[in-house]
Every structure is written in C-alpha cells, then in structure tokens.
Amino acid sequence: MIPFSSALTNTPHWQQQLADAFRSPRQLLRHLGLETHWHPGLERVAQDFPLRVTRHFADLMEPGNPNDPLLLQVLPSLHEGEPAPGFGSDPTGDRLARTGPGLLRKYHGRALIIATGSCAIHCRYCFRRHFPYREERADRRHWPALFEILAGDPTLTEVILSGGDPLMLGNQQLEELVERIGRLSRVRRLRIHSRLPVVLPGRLDDGLIQLLARSRLACTLVLHVNHPAELSTPLAQALRPLRQEGIQVLNQSVLLRGINDDLETQVSLCEKLFDFGILPYYLHQMDKVDGAAHFEVPAHRAKELHQAMRNLLPGYLLPRLVVEEVGAPSKLPLE
Ligand SMILES: *Cc1c(COP(=O)(O)O)cnc(C)c1O
Ligand code: SF4
C-alpha cells in the first residue's frame, strides 16, 4: 500500500521528515524528559541561531540525560553570549576567500561551492553560523557567472559542494549542478560535504545515488560525525548501495569539549566508522567562532589525545588532526 501522505503529494519522504524537525529548546527538552532543564534564556539564545534538529537525531539521544553528547551539539547554551577573546564571526577567512557568487577558493586545484545556506541540523559550534548566506550562496540565478569562473580556471581538478548542507537541495537541482560540473573538462573529482545522511539517513535515496553514479566524475561523500552514537543502523543501511556504486565515504569531525574529547570516544568513533564503511579523514580543532568558546579543547590537549589515538589505532583509522588558518595554503596539521 502506498502511504497516505506520499500518495497525496510529490514531496519526497525525507523532505516531509525535515518539516517535522524540532525547532525550539522547549520542544526538544520535553521530548527527552528534561523539562526542568528548560530556561527562557535558551529561547533568547536560539533567536540568533535557531535550534534545529531532526527527530531521527533526537531519537539517538539518551532520554533524561542533560549531558548527552548529541544533545550538547544542538542545544543552545547561555555560554554562547559570553565574550571570548580571539573568537570572531568569520574565523576561517571565508569572506576573503570568495572569488564569485557562493564560491570559495583557498587551496590548489579545489573550488568550494556554497550550494545552499540551509541545514537539517544546527550545530552550535558551526564555523559558518554567522556567514551571510542570504547574499553568499550559489543560487541557480548565479550559476552562469559561477560556471564561467570555474571554466576559466586551468588548475581546477576538484569541485566541492558544501554549504550549509548541499544535500538540502532536491535531486533535480543537484543533478543539474553535478551535470554542469561534469562538463568542466579538467575537473575529475566531485566531493560532497554533508551531515544530512547522519541526521536523516533517508536522504540517501535511490535518486541521489543514481545521479552520482551516472556522473563521469569520481564522487566522494564526506560525512560529519562527531560521536559514535550518531552512527545508526538506518545510516549503515543507507550507505550500502552508495558504496556499491563505488562512491567513497569519508568522515570529518570537530573536537568538542565534553562531547568527544576523550580517548575512548575517539577510538570507538574511528572503529565504528570503519564498520560502516567510512574512513576517518579529518579531526578538526574547532574554529574560533563567536558563541562556541565553551566547546574549545586547548591545542596541547588535542595533540595529546591525538598521540594517544595513534598508539591505539591502525594508521588507516587515524584521522588527521588539523586546524584552519586564514591564508594558509592547506589545512594545517596541529603539531
Ligand atoms: C576545507 C576546504 C577545502 C578542502 O580541503 P581538503 O584539505 O582538500 O579537504 C577546500 N576549499 C575550502 C574553501 C575549504 O575550506
Ligand atoms: S551541518 Fe555543518 S554547516 Fe550545518 S550547522 Fe552543522 S556544522 Fe554548520
């Protein structure tokens, strides 16, 4: 039987699930049986950068645990308003790296397209939480200008779709975008940076996998998973057909105080990623974005943790510990 809702509309199931996301601290805390942890100040913090989290991700949280590592990533905190020296609104120098509408160019051979400004989840530590998405995203009306710039770049071999979250675009728009990238004769690789499959595994639908499989480009999906509890059975199932089509799956995570800054969590994350067919790629030292100072892990602790991980994990499961420095020609190893 065709489910009632999709029989009546053409809206894909994942988009219906997006519409059903939690959008206020009160609503989320009530769902987790944590009403007593609600505070009106949380709603005020959420006015600047709203709470947003899918039901799937919320269901991976432990009810009744105010320190749940998934909850802490999305729940606004009163600490966000505290002044923090050295933190700013554009810690990665994105405004300087802009070379066209929604186009960032920092590293040799690779161009990054801000395909959309929206995300299915709002991570409180997000380095783009203050990014002017309204003006700076590669809307369809900007595509002609964008592709003219890309076509004129003889060094370009890889295009990265980022955002926001590029998988917030529907399959039809993505297919057009991927097809246009495929027409850039020197480009060989396409990379998609997305957290959507983690918070909504149904996003990896047949249409998406087929459109990537049809492209002549070698495709890599870089997920963003910070904690082993984010790796769910529906995600494992959704990744299988993708990998059968030869699409590489990597992971990047952000080192976050009180969430994943301990050896046991990091080792368990890397091993579980491998079980899911995902290779750890980067462990990022958090970018110093306003409002996120309470998540910061000092560099010396990050280095110690990484060294301890190196002693326990096979080399291919050790993510590179990196930090982004404005103006540097690559992400820099934290050494
Ligand atoms: C991180 C980033 C990339 C990709 O860097 P890799 O080291 O290749 O993963 C490319 N462009 C921009 C603007 C970036 O911020
Ligand atoms: S999914 Fe990525 S871009 Fe979106 S809020 Fe989270 S960290 Fe930021």
Side-chain angles (χ1 to χ4, degrees):
M1 195 180 80
I2 300 171
F4 177 68
S5 53
S6 57
L8 286 180
T9 69
N10 287 323
T11 311
H13 188 54
W14 65 270
Q15 285 181 349
Q16 293 172 30
Q17 287 177 313
L18 269 186
D20 200 27
F22 290 100
R23 284 162 197 278
S24 78
R26 175 171 248 162
Q27 198 191 9
L28 177 63
L29 288 169
R30 192 184 298 139
H31 177 76
L32 294 168
L34 290 168
E35 293 86 344
T36 54
H37 290 261
W38 183 78
H39 183 282
L42 300 184
E43 308 290 343
R44 273 197 300 279
V45 174
Q47 277 170 6
D48 286 344
F49 182 46
L51 177 141
R52 187 160 192 187
V53 58
T54 58
R55 292 199 174 251
H56 171 78
F57 198 77
D59 285 342
L60 300 173
M61 297 171 188
E62 185 193 352
N65 179 4
N67 296 316
D68 180 273
L70 277 54
L71 174 64
L72 294 180
Q73 294 180 48
V74 299
L75 188 68
S77 156
L78 300 179
H79 294 301
E80 290 179 36
E82 292 165 5
F87 282 67
S89 69
D90 181 21
T92 54
D94 282 358
R95 289 187 187 93
L96 280 174
R98 180 193 184 277
T99 58
L103 184 62
L104 301 184
R105 199 59 215 278
K106 287 185 184 167
Y107 308 135
H108 180 81
R110 288 149 286 169
L112 183 147
I113 298 178
I114 308 259
T116 167
S118 53
C119 289
I121 181 171
H122 286 173
C123 313
R124 304 313 297 180
Y125 53 84
C126 179
F127 71 103
R128 291 210 176 110
R129 58 183 284 176
H130 307 289
F131 194 74
Y133 282 120
R134 214 177 299 255
E135 307 99 73
E136 274 310 335
R137 58 172 186 226
D139 279 348
R140 183 181 262 143
R141 68 196 157 94
H142 294 310
W143 288 2
L146 181 73
F147 280 95
E148 204 178 301
I149 297 170
L150 295 177
D153 182 342
T155 65
L156 194 68
T157 51
E158 177 166 351
V159 174
I160 300 170
L161 296 181
S162 183
D165 197 312
L167 294 185
M168 290 292 276
L169 298 180
N171 287 344
Q172 201 176 339
Q173 231 193 104
L174 268 176
E175 175 143 40
E176 276 178 62
L177 202 50
V178 171
E179 203 257 328
R180 288 184 84 142
I181 297 168
R183 272 190 264 147
L184 298 164
S185 58
R186 298 178 195 92
V187 172
R188 295 150 65 170
R189 295 180 302 277
L190 171 73
R191 208 193 307 176
I192 298 181
H193 281 190
S194 174
R195 189 143 160 77
L196 237 159
V198 181
V199 301
L200 207 63
R203 177 63 192 95
L204 295 176
D205 58 11
D206 285 347
L208 175 64
I209 293 165
Q210 290 316 314
L211 82 88
L212 296 177
R214 270 196 300 274
S215 168
R216 74 166 176 87
L217 303 163
C219 297
T220 302
L221 174 65
V222 183
L223 295 177
H224 172 178
V225 179
N226 295 318
H227 192 280
E230 295 171 42
L231 292 164
S232 65
T233 307
L235 175 63
Q237 285 163 350
L239 286 172
R240 216 163 286 140
L242 193 77
R243 294 178 46 239
Q244 276 162 5
E245 292 296 345
I247 296 161
Q248 293 277 355
V249 189
L250 306 177
N251 184 62
Q252 53 180 346
S253 43
V254 181
L255 189 56
L256 299 165
R257 187 158 95 209
I259 293 174
N260 62 7
D261 61 337
D262 64 281
L263 185 59
E264 195 189 327
T265 303
Q266 283 296 334
V267 168
S268 142
L269 173 61
C270 294
E271 292 189 325
K272 200 166 167 191
L273 284 168
F274 186 73
D275 295 340
F276 277 56
I278 308 167
L279 284 176
Y281 176 41
Y282 278 146
L283 175 58
H284 292 271
Q285 177 70 344
M286 195 187 70
D287 298 311
K288 290 179 184 288
V289 67
D290 275 336
H294 57 292
F295 289 121
E296 196 188 22
V297 177
H300 70 274
R301 280 209 43 228
K303 286 185 248 182
E304 273 167 26
L305 176 62
H306 193 246
Q307 184 55 48
M309 290 165 66
R310 188 190 301 274
N311 294 343
L312 293 185
L313 288 164
Y316 61 92
L317 290 189
L318 183 72
R320 299 155 182 83
L321 176 66
V322 289
V323 64
E324 186 157 346
E325 212 163 89
V326 178
S330 73
K331 311 247 191 266
L332 300 176
L334 195 65
E335 280 166 347

